[in-house]
Amino acid sequence: MIFTVAIDGPAAAGKGTISKAVAARFGFRHLDTGLLYRAVGARTLSGEDPVEAALSLRPEDMDADTLRTTEVAQAASRVAVLSEVRAALTEFQRHFARAEGGAVLDGRDICTVICPDAEVKLYVTASAEVRADRRYRELSDKGHDVTPGGVLEDVLARDARDINRVEAPLKPAPGATIIDTSEMDINAAVDAAAARVQAAL
Ligand code: C5P
């Protein structure tokens, strides 16, 4: 079976948690495409050219733990405006989406650019305050040195860069189901996403 669940949305809207839970529930593979951009961003922080980094991305660059800092997130959103960086990452994502077995991909341009023909398209969002609050708790629980104001600033700066860029800007794709998680707990959000998948199987 080839079946793609494409999930877009702004930073810290709950896409990651929803994607992982939906993938586990249906036995699908999951790709957090933000990690690709974070890995490229992290390599630019050590002085590399972003396009070179994107073209030579290695599995060992994808260590989720070291990439989950606000500094790397900012670097990711800066390299993500570059069309050559996005082009270098496109084929890998499309191949992942259409390989045998179901796949869940989450990011900013999955429904709009990478997989416009996905069987399920979701746009997961929440207010900036709710998103920043969730991300602050997540990072501080993991022992990161963050402040609520600093995290809100990161979220707002990335939203602005992701929405206003020319190449693959963040927006709901035509036909995408919008799930606003501002007033939902995580179980309700996962159930809403899973119901859409179940209906399309
Ligand atoms: O989802 P995450 O917060 O890890 O993404 C980091 C950054 O990578 C985003 O702010 C965005 O600029 C970029 N990104 C993107 N397209 C994707 C996934 C992430 O431009 N599909």
Side-chain angles (χ1 to χ4, degrees):
M1 179 190 60
I2 291 171
F3 189 97
T4 308
V5 182
I7 307 183
D8 289 329
K15 302 186 300 292
T17 312
I18 292 173
S19 301
K20 274 194 211 97
V22 166
R25 196 176 291 190
F26 293 94
F28 293 173
R29 292 165 293 115
H30 170 226
L31 179 64
D32 170 357
T33 67
L35 277 185
L36 302 173
Y37 291 90
R38 284 175 185 257
V40 174
R43 280 174 57 178
T44 65
L45 291 175
S46 30
E48 246 185 281
D49 173 73
V51 180
E52 294 294 319
L55 286 168
S56 63
L57 216 54
R58 305 161 300 221
E60 59 266 34
D61 292 328
M62 308 287 291
D63 174 21
D65 284 339
T66 58
L67 298 177
R68 297 241 174 269
T69 66
T70 52
E71 191 191 16
V72 171
Q74 287 295 324
S77 83
R78 283 194 296 268
V79 301
V81 306
L82 304 171
S83 59
E84 286 164 283
V85 166
R86 307 199 69 85
L89 302 175
T90 297
E91 195 186 315
F92 173 76
Q93 296 175 79
R94 289 202 175 130
H95 188 265
F96 186 95
R98 301 315 276 175
E100 181 56 34
V104 182
L105 288 82
D106 71 284
R108 302 292 186 290
D109 65 339
I110 308 303
C111 305
T112 50
V113 176
I114 301 295
C115 301
D117 298 324
E119 282 75 11
V120 174
K121 287 185 250 183
L122 304 176
Y123 187 86
V124 177
T125 189
S127 72
E129 288 70 24
V130 166
R131 289 185 287 118
D133 184 55
R134 284 183 192 152
R135 183 53 52 92
Y136 170 71
R137 286 164 200 257
E138 189 184 314
L139 291 171
S140 53
D141 283 353
K142 282 190 191 153
H144 288 268
D145 182 18
V146 284
T147 61
V151 174
L152 178 62
E153 218 173 275
D154 167 59
V155 162
L156 292 175
R158 286 201 287 141
D159 282 359
R161 220 179 270 131
D162 293 345
I163 290 166
N164 295 316
R165 69 187 177 212
V166 174
E167 193 77 22
L170 172 66
K171 61 181 174 197
T177 302
I178 296 183
I179 300 178
D180 187 329
T181 67
S182 301
E183 288 177 18
M184 268 183 192
D185 71 15
I186 190 59
N187 294 328
V190 170
D191 286 346
R196 281 291 298 117
V197 175
Q198 190 62 51
L201 275 173

